[in-house]
Amino acid sequence: ALSLVDAGVCTAAEVDRIVKLTFALRLSSLGPMENMDLVGLDAVQRIHRYLLPELAVNTKPAECIDDKVSAGQLGMRSGQGFYDWSQRDAEQVIRNRDLLIVRQLEVLRELGEL
């Protein structure tokens, strides 16, 4: 995700939105290995052969992280990071996260997964 932001492919907010609305919805019921089995390991292999050579192999923090830290944009505690926290209620974000996790756990319990 950080490499995509560094390359200018998308913004941090776009990465978060894509993850939240796609594979993150399945993670509570379907792990990454199960998903690969369902997709087909041969398809996963083809995707990896195509994508992996193009992905960054980082040996240091992502440039976008270094840039933000150098600018004093440390995230929620400084009021700015990938998001402008002066316009967001961090406590509400945490409450919403916790509520969603509890709801997902309730569904998993109902399905006999817990």
Side-chain angles (χ1 to χ4, degrees):
L2 293 169
S3 295
L4 292 171
V5 172
D6 277 350
V9 173
C10 53
T11 66
E14 289 168 334
V15 168
D16 284 344
R17 181 170 170 79
I18 290 164
V19 169
K20 288 177 184 177
L21 296 177
T22 60
F23 69 86
L25 293 171
R26 295 185 298 253
L27 287 178
S28 63
S29 63
L30 186 66
M33 304 310 179
E34 291 171 308
N35 188 62
M36 283 189 270
D37 273 355
L38 289 174
V39 168
L41 296 179
D42 55 329
V44 173
Q45 181 186 51
R46 286 192 303 275
I47 292 166
H48 284 196
R49 282 185 178 155
Y50 177 77
L51 284 179
L52 291 181
E54 302 300 322
L55 297 177
V57 179
N58 296 330
T59 58
K60 60 182 184 170
E63 185 178 323
C64 60
I65 297 288
D66 286 341
D67 291 347
K68 290 196 176 298
V69 170
S70 292
Q73 298 176 352
L74 307 177
M76 180 189 61
R77 114 177 105 95
S78 70
Q80 180 67 45
F82 288 113
Y83 294 92
D84 179 356
W85 286 93
S86 68
Q87 302 300 312
R88 299 181 84 186
D89 181 351
E91 289 182 17
Q92 185 62 46
V93 170
I94 292 168
R95 277 193 300 274
N96 290 345
R97 177 206 62 196
D98 293 348
L99 181 61
L100 179 58
I101 290 170
V102 168
R103 287 181 179 165
Q104 289 173 327
L105 289 170
E106 288 169 351
V107 169
L108 289 171
R109 198 171 292 123
E110 288 173 17
L111 294 172
E113 296 290 328
L114 290 180

